[in-house]
Amino acid sequence: MARRPDLVGLTVLAMLSLRAGHPYELHRFIVDTHKDYISGLPRSLYHAVGKLAGEELIVPVETSKEGRRPERTVYEITDEGRKELASRLRVLIETPAGERRTFTAALSLIGCLPMPEARRALRTRTSTLIGLITAQEAHIRALTDSGLPEMLMVETDYERALYQTELEWVERLLARMEKGELSWEGTVTRDLLEKTLE
């Protein structure tokens, strides 16, 4: 069984690639920006931070305590963490998976990749989707030729339709990116992040 992607860890890396922060700030940012693909907050977030720190993808840079509040440790991403973020993100964008939530998460963080890299990853996804659609269509033809009633293969046609719809959407996204209609340079800035965390 394939290991599920660590979407919480990926999101933590993405946020820390913009600025250092402590887990409470990260939690607030996730909630305020509606990263609804993340569940189990705040426990899943603290677990992800601990795991990433153990792997030295993030490091503590400061610990502070204000009044009666608990101690807060501020983390920043390491160079290795930046490489890992880009690698994980590329894989999630390139590879259609059974769970749509994974692609939703990758799309919400796509701005962490340089535009040319994001376009390459999306092109790889379109090629894979075309292959999946072709395979589903061949499977449907084979089932039809075998005399199987159409009602017993509606789920296969449904899967094909989902792949087709996704392919068309990704192609439109790519076209907008290539025409310069969609760009994220300067979209997510430290100021925007800090305003969200106020």
Side-chain angles (χ1 to χ4, degrees):
M1 185 172 170
R3 211 173 111 218
R4 297 179 92 184
D6 177 10
L7 300 181
V8 182
L10 181 72
T11 305
V12 169
L13 289 173
M15 290 188 297
L16 292 179
S17 73
L18 298 172
R19 77 185 269 283
H22 55 74
Y24 179 72
E25 286 178 316
L26 302 176
H27 179 197
R28 282 191 35 218
F29 185 75
I30 288 168
V31 171
D32 292 348
T33 57
H34 305 282
K35 302 295 183 208
D36 298 330
Y37 57 83
I38 294 180
S39 58
L41 290 172
R43 190 175 73 197
S44 62
L45 176 72
Y46 283 93
H47 175 75
V49 166
K51 185 176 179 204
L52 293 169
E55 295 170 349
E56 298 180 357
L57 299 176
I58 63 174
V59 292
V61 290
E62 173 189 325
T63 300
S64 63
K65 183 167 174 55
E66 289 179 26
R68 302 175 111 190
R69 289 184 171 167
E71 200 171 73
R72 289 190 174 164
T73 302
V74 174
Y75 292 88
E76 70 179 13
I77 193 168
T78 63
D79 288 341
E80 195 58 39
R82 287 181 192 284
K83 290 176 194 166
E84 184 67 16
L85 167 62
S87 174
R88 289 184 191 184
L89 203 45
R90 270 193 313 274
V91 167
L92 294 183
I93 293 168
E94 290 173 351
T95 314
E99 193 175 299
R100 307 253 179 244
R101 181 176 85 118
T102 302
F103 188 46
T104 301
L107 286 171
S108 85
L109 304 172
I110 196 171
C112 292
L113 293 176
M115 180 72 79
E117 208 172 315
R119 285 198 308 255
R120 272 192 304 275
L122 287 167
R123 281 191 209 103
T124 299
R125 188 178 191 92
T126 61
S127 297
T128 305
L129 286 167
I130 290 167
L132 290 167
I133 292 164
T134 302
Q136 290 284 33
E137 288 171 345
H139 186 57
I140 291 168
R141 277 193 305 277
L143 292 174
T144 302
D145 292 348
S146 74
L148 194 67
E150 185 179 350
M151 189 59 216
L152 296 178
M153 50 185 166
V154 292
E155 74 282 4
T156 305
D157 188 48
Y158 172 70
E159 285 296 319
R160 185 210 52 77
L162 289 177
Y163 288 138
Q164 184 65 46
T165 301
E166 183 179 319
L167 173 64
E168 291 165 7
W169 186 88
V170 172
E171 286 174 334
R172 282 194 308 273
L173 178 66
L174 268 168
R176 290 185 66 208
M177 290 166 74
E178 287 164 0
K179 289 178 188 171
E181 293 174 2
L182 185 65
S183 173
W184 50 79
E185 276 189 42
T187 302
V188 181
T189 61
R190 285 177 177 262
D191 290 345
L192 175 65
L193 185 61
E194 285 163 6
K195 185 183 286 187
T196 307
L197 294 173
E198 284 175 357

